[in-house]
């Protein structure tokens, strides 16, 4: 990811985004958004891990585990 790429996605000039990045209020909102994204990602991984473990347990317990 680059400033240029992110600016293009946001529909602003790279210089505008560069200015925003330097602002503490922008950094606060950006940091919070990143935290929320990471938390959602971790929750998704935890759910998938539990489902994968359950599937493995069922496979081993069935008496004819698939290879």
């Amino acid at each position: 990811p680059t400033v240029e790429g992110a600016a293009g996605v946001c529909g602003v000039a790279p210089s505008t985004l560069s200015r925003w990045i330097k602002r503490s209020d922008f950094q606060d909102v950006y940091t919070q958004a990143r935290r929320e994204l990471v938390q959602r990602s971790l929750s998704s991984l935890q759910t998938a891990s539990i489902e994968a473990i359950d599937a493995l347990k069922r496979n081993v317990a069935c008496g004819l585990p698939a290879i």
Side-chain angles (χ1 to χ4, degrees):
T2 63
V3 170
E4 291 77 15
V9 170
C10 295
V12 299
S15 59
T16 300
L17 183 55
S18 292
R19 261 193 326 275
W20 289 351
I21 290 170
K22 294 174 187 172
R23 294 177 51 153
S24 63
D25 57 338
F26 180 90
Q27 290 175 4
D28 292 343
V29 172
Y30 176 77
T31 299
Q32 183 60 34
R34 278 188 65 138
R35 280 190 188 119
E36 290 172 11
L37 178 62
V38 168
Q39 185 57 48
R40 283 195 310 266
S41 297
L42 287 173
S43 294
S44 179
L45 286 170
Q46 287 172 333
T47 299
S49 296
I50 291 167
E51 292 170 359
I53 290 167
D54 289 343
L56 286 170
K57 286 179 181 179
R58 282 191 310 275
N59 194 29
V60 170
C62 75
L64 295 170
I67 296 176

